[in-house]
Amino acid sequence: MRKITYFVPYPELAPVVRRLMDQPCYKGVFANASIKYFPRMYDLEVEDGCDLVIARGYSIHVIRERFNGAIVEIPITGSDIVNAIAQCREHTDCQKIGLIGDYSNMKDIQSMSSLFNINFVVYVIDNPDQIEDMVKRAIEEGCDALISGSHANKCVIKNGFKVYSGIIENSEEAIGRALNSAASLLKNMEYEANQMEFLRLLAENVTDGLIFVDDRERIGIANANVGRIFPNRRPVAGKGFQESFPFMAKNYLKACREKQHLDNEIYRTRDMNIAVDFTPVMIGGEYKGMIITIHDIGRLQQREAQIRSKLNEMGLYAKYQFSDIIHQSPVMEHVIERAEKFAAVTSNVLIYGETGTGKELVAQSIHNASKRKSGPFVAINCASFPENLLESELFGYEEGAFTGAVKGGKPGLFEQAHGGTLFLDEVSELPVSFQGKLLRVLQEREVRRVGGKKVVKIDVRIIAATNKNLKQMTLDGLFREDLLYRLDVLNLPLPPLRKRREDIRLLAEHYLMEYKEQFETCADHFTEDAMTLLSSYPFMGNIRELRNIVERISVTAQDTAVQVLDVEESLGLGEYDRQIQTAGQVGRIQDQAAAPAYIRNIQKEEIERLLKECGYNKSEVARRLGLNRTTLWRKMGKMGLL
């Protein structure tokens, strides 16, 4: 509650002021107001903690010398003077009236002389020290009545002058106007105080150091974190910025001169690295100062680690980078180079590739190499949800939207991915009826929760993946063409493992060592024959299948070196397939006579026909031909069908 003091020049005024202050329109405003009478002007004292003073006349001069707070002055109005003259005429037959005071703000005051048909003289006083001399002068010049403020009246009484002395009293209307001004001023003071407290709390709760330097290069604000970052420096508020932080002067002056924002200027102070931002404050095109934000780099790194940890717990964190993609093949090197270019922009990406080729690994790598790397990475397998659940999962839902909806509702994956990347795996499995809803979100960049009315703006990059030909699906009416255009802005085909056989050795050795450490098994390398046999396998399940096979080998191998027999058993090769030579002649039968004639006579055209009939299901083709799957893929390899 603001503390207010109303100074009254004569005691009779106090109850009038209190009555006006207690009006309902000022409820609570003047609850902490005191009304004080001061017999002598220079005895006037303003108590400590006072926020606002209301006074009139020459007492204002004394108050200004002793008080730096807000002051509301009660003006002397023309009607107040007229009332004082009328009182004078009632009590005396005066011939000449002297009006003593400073009435420079009143127009045509001399016209009152003709109004009352009386000799009327104004004696102007510039400061309170002139009051007594001016009273004496007025009397010497023949004034037989004086009208003035309370201080001139007291001077007449003190000196025993034999003249009428009337006090100009404020009307209730003038006092009311002053109280209205005081109430408005108090309201503004409260608002400004709240704003300043808000800014103070904001500055103190920012984890960075925050300094405001005014246009005279003086530090106006420095929050507590500045002292934490620079513990050996004294409080800097009020000092010159260049004097306090000379090592920042060059960039500070550059930002001042160019009126341009400078980001992440790096300095080392003591044993700490800091990053500093310089932000010029421009109001109405004029430079008003500089906001300087100081980041403790070590603390930023800790905070980033904490955020990443929490995102990881929520499953909203991309852990893979391009350096995690094990390869040496030129085709894969080209894929990575292309993906790195995609990471530099924000366009949507569509990744094509068979099952197990590492589509999500590449998607995470693109995210982590992009400007969105500090944002969430949210992944969803579109084939895992029926349409009704898919909508609530992606768009979220409000409380009560459906039976079982959690209290308070739930944000969807689009909202969770705001500022980051949403990975739509197996996007080809989206129901056609749902594709239109997804298209609208991608077009409008906003989402509405199920059962909700509020629209939420989103900033999300889409990376989609599929193992099917979406263009063919659009021709078959299974995928919307307009949605395909939204997703397929940048496209990235991933080669199957059989098209990058140079990478099989690297991958197999990597996984073997990984499982050795995980399972504490003995196998830690492949013999050349074993690796040759493994490298000849078609891996229709791609890297995922290779990883499973190496895991099986790691568990079953009996020695540190993985042998051919270990690979054969893990691949499930039969007695016939063990006749395959591994010394550079994989796929060649040692004894052609040992192979049944019907196997040797199977033609390429027959295999091609069966592949089409069986939907390229090689296990079914092998069953119809009476072959095991491994024999089939070797024949297909010879015929160029892989």
Side-chain angles (χ1 to χ4, degrees), residues 433-587:
S433 56
F434 178 76
Q435 292 173 19
K437 299 175 183 177
L438 176 61
L439 176 64
R440 191 195 69 80
V441 172
L442 298 184
Q443 287 175 334
E444 304 299 327
R445 295 289 174 178
E446 59 186 27
V447 65
R448 181 185 288 110
R449 294 184 185 181
V450 175
K453 297 180 180 179
K454 181 181 177 182
V455 171
V456 179
K457 292 288 184 180
I458 54 169
D459 173 23
V460 176
R461 182 186 195 180
I462 301 295
I463 301 180
T466 181
N467 58 5
K468 294 184 178 178
N469 187 334
L470 292 186
K471 291 184 178 179
Q472 182 60 49
M473 290 183 67
T474 61
L475 297 175
D476 296 338
L478 300 176
F479 202 86
R480 291 182 60 128
E481 189 174 16
D482 46 6
L483 177 58
L484 176 60
Y485 293 148
R486 281 283 172 184
L487 298 175
D488 192 11
V489 179
L490 305 174
N491 59 71
L492 189 68
L494 297 188
L497 189 56
R498 60 186 176 276
K499 299 293 186 182
R500 42 180 290 212
R501 292 191 179 275
E502 304 96 317
D503 298 333
I504 292 177
R505 176 186 291 274
L506 286 177
L507 290 163
E509 291 174 345
H510 171 79
Y511 292 138
L512 187 66
M513 294 304 297
E514 182 180 294
Y515 290 122
K516 173 182 170 61
E517 182 178 346
Q518 181 179 344
F519 300 145
E520 297 182 357
T521 51
C522 59
D524 58 14
H525 68 281
F526 292 86
T527 65
E528 281 302 315
D529 289 347
M531 181 56 69
T532 303
L533 177 58
L534 187 66
S535 298
S536 69
Y537 191 71
F539 293 109
M540 304 310 293
N542 293 292
I543 299 172
R544 188 174 300 152
E545 184 180 8
L546 170 63
R547 183 167 190 152
N548 291 344
I549 290 170
V550 174
E551 182 176 357
R552 192 179 308 134
I553 290 171
S554 176
V555 173
T556 58
Q558 302 298 314
D559 197 357
T560 57
V562 177
Q563 306 294 328
V564 171
L565 185 60
D566 297 320
V567 175
E568 288 179 341
E569 288 180 346
S570 295
L571 294 176
L573 299 182
E575 190 66 31
Y576 165 74
D577 299 291
R578 292 197 182 99
Q579 298 178 27
I580 302 299
Q581 291 297 309
T582 59
Q585 299 182 29
V586 176

Side-chain angles (χ1 to χ4, degrees), residues 4 29-30 52 54 72 177-187:
I4 305 143
V29 176
F30 299 114
L52 182 142
I54 305 174
V72 173
R177 284 200 296 268
L179 293 179
N180 285 339
S181 296
S184 297
L185 188 55
L186 287 169
K187 184 177 180 181

Side-chain angles (χ1 to χ4, degrees), residues 28 244 279 331 341 398 427 442 498 530 539 570 587 602 621 635:
S244 300
T279 306
V331 63
K341 292 179 180 178
E398 296 292 352
V427 71
L442 298 184
R498 60 186 176 276
F539 293 109
S570 295
I602 293 174
V621 173
K635 288 191 70 66

Side-chain angles (χ1 to χ4, degrees), residues 272-274 295-303:
M272 180 188 297
N273 291 326
I274 60 173
H295 313 278
D296 178 345
I297 292 178
R299 197 165 180 178
L300 280 177
Q301 291 170 335
Q302 291 175 0
R303 186 172 178 81

Side-chain angles (χ1 to χ4, degrees), residues 13 22 30 78 80 94 121 130 155 166 271 323 342 456 469 551 554 600:
L13 187 59
D22 289 340
F30 299 114
D80 294 337
C94 57
V121 181
Q130 299 173 339
C155 178
D271 57 345
S323 58
F342 292 175
V456 179
N469 187 334
E551 182 176 357
S554 176
R600 297 197 303 270

